[in-house]
Amino acid sequence: MTQMTGRCMCGDTTYKTSGEASAAHACHCDDCQRFTGTAFVGVDFEALDISGPIKWFTSSEWGERGSCSACGSDMFWRMRDGSGPQVVSIGSLDEAVSIAAIDKHYFADNIPPAFNFTGEAVRMSREETLTHFESLINV
Ligand SMILES: [Zn+2]
Ligand SMILES: [Zn+2]
């Protein structure tokens, strides 16, 4: 999968990726559960072409979230310092059906039993997830 396109619910904001998409993951941290509904795929933001009224919200010490300021759809997450993962929400992709599987779960000990995820995806605990992200921060 080389290029993907996506849009928010109202259509005011669209985007286009270039380069290879990286691991699709589900994040079960409190913020993601409340804000997005959970799942994302990694993209290269330097090559991400966003068009529309995106509002960035600083959601943690390291991260910020981008949503369409017209309709509020959550679409993006990135590290504030530009290092590490940059992701788009799978639900905003025009071809969301092209994402075959979740490769990784962050904050896996927080997965609601009702989601009933199956498969071989890596499951990182809250502690493992935090250690992983702290190791990515540019010091
Ligand atoms: Zn919108
Ligand atoms: Zn999260």
Side-chain angles (χ1 to χ4, degrees):
M1 180 186 356
T2 51
Q3 186 177 71
M4 301 187 293
T5 58
R7 67 171 177 86
C8 68
M9 191 171 60
C10 78
D12 275 6
T13 301
T14 59
Y15 66 86
K16 189 165 59 175
T17 70
S18 306
E20 284 300 304
S22 54
H25 67 273
C27 184
H28 308 282
C29 77
D30 289 344
D31 285 355
C32 288
Q33 284 187 351
R34 290 181 193 284
F35 195 69
T36 76
T38 292
F40 310 89
V41 63
V43 297
D44 178 358
F45 264 44
E46 302 223 337
L48 181 64
D49 182 5
I50 301 174
S51 164
I54 287 293
K55 182 180 174 196
W56 290 96
F57 171 71
T58 299
S59 56
S60 71
E61 256 179 74
W62 340 305
E64 57 187 3
R65 293 164 185 270
S67 58
C68 172
S69 64
C71 72
S73 297
D74 168 48
M75 306 174 78
F76 311 110
W77 185 96
R78 66 185 180 192
M79 299 282 278
R80 289 168 61 196
D81 67 3
S83 68
Q86 303 170 320
V87 306
V88 302
S89 67
I90 291 175
S92 70
L93 288 168
D94 292 327
E95 301 275 348
V97 290
S98 68
I99 307 298
I102 296 293
D103 303 305
K104 194 187 285 184
H105 293 280
Y106 293 132
F107 298 86
D109 36 12
N110 210 32
I111 297 175
F115 282 8
N116 198 23
F117 285 105
T118 57
E120 303 300 310
V122 175
R123 291 174 184 240
M124 296 173 75
S125 69
R126 174 182 174 79
E127 203 179 314
E128 288 166 341
T129 304
L130 291 174
T131 303
H132 171 68
F133 277 92
E134 275 158 16
S135 76
L136 297 174
I137 296 173
N138 275 337
V139 189

